[in-house]
Amino acid sequence: MSLLDRVTKAVGDAVDRGKKEVDQFVRIQRIYGEISEVEKRIAEFRSQIQQVRQQAGEKAIEMLRSGSVVSPDLQPFLEQVDGIEKQIAAQEVEITRKRAEIDTIKTEHEAAKAAASAPPATPPPVPVPGEGTPSAPTADGPGSSARFCTQCGAPFTGGGAFCTQCGAKRI
């Protein structure tokens, strides 16, 4: 055999091995796909069983509650379901209470916002001397302030620079 014949034979053998490996890989992948389909059907059957069990359980609890079935073996399950339902009801009451609390907070916020946007209260009228009000502001001496506010007429009590009633600057 010549070198060329040996190379040709080696290449042919390699191609045949490659074809066999590819064929084997494809067949195996096809079978894996079939297994996957069977597993999906099994999962669907298990889901159907769960649904039937759930329906049977619901029916049994309904029959226990109505008294048409009395079973000491099933009674603990009914009590467990009743306990869980009571917990759910308590949690729903808690949700209702918390929603009412939210509404209260919103109402407080709206009231504060309305009060802030309301027009400011008008200051009390400046008292006129001789109409039963304190006499006109007077000075106590050089550099001292008046004893009464020039805006609202309230007496100054202390050495502050502003009126404690209306906030006007002391003169």
Side-chain angles (χ1 to χ4, degrees):
M1 237 193 204
S2 72
L3 181 63
L4 187 57
D5 289 335
R6 281 188 282 185
V7 170
T8 305
K9 180 172 174 30
V11 170
D13 290 344
V15 169
D16 287 340
R17 274 194 314 271
K19 285 181 182 178
K20 287 179 184 177
E21 288 176 6
V22 168
D23 181 53
Q24 177 187 9
F25 177 77
V26 168
R27 288 179 19 220
I28 289 171
Q29 292 305 312
R30 181 182 48 81
I31 293 171
Y32 277 142
E34 291 171 359
I35 290 171
S36 178
E37 290 298 319
V38 171
E39 288 173 338
K40 284 180 187 176
R41 285 194 297 260
I42 289 172
E44 289 173 3
F45 291 143
R46 286 186 175 146
S47 174
Q48 290 174 0
I49 289 171
Q50 275 303 110
Q51 290 175 351
V52 169
R53 285 180 177 169
Q54 182 180 355
Q55 290 171 349
E58 289 172 0
K59 185 67 174 173
I61 288 173
E62 182 182 312
M63 293 171 77
L64 284 168
R65 282 186 176 152
S66 69
S68 62
V69 169
V70 177
S71 171
D73 293 336
L74 295 179
Q75 193 63 34
F77 295 113
L78 176 62
E79 291 168 1
Q80 189 176 11
V81 168
D82 287 343
I84 294 169
E85 287 175 344
K86 287 177 184 175
Q87 290 175 342
I88 290 171
Q91 294 300 307
E92 287 173 340
V93 167
E94 182 69 14
I95 288 171
T96 302
R97 188 187 64 75
K98 290 190 180 291
R99 285 191 174 143
E101 189 176 333
I102 289 170
D103 290 342
T104 301
I105 291 170
K106 285 181 179 178
T107 302
E108 289 171 357
H109 177 71
E110 292 298 321
K113 196 163 71 170
S117 65
T122 57
V126 176
V128 178
E131 292 185 7
T133 60
S135 59
T138 61
D140 289 333
S144 69
S145 299
R147 287 193 246 162
F148 297 96
C149 176
T150 57
Q151 291 292 322
C152 69
F156 284 125
T157 57
F162 297 95
C163 175
T164 57
Q165 295 296 317
C166 70
K169 186 168 174 117
R170 190 171 181 174
I171 301 175

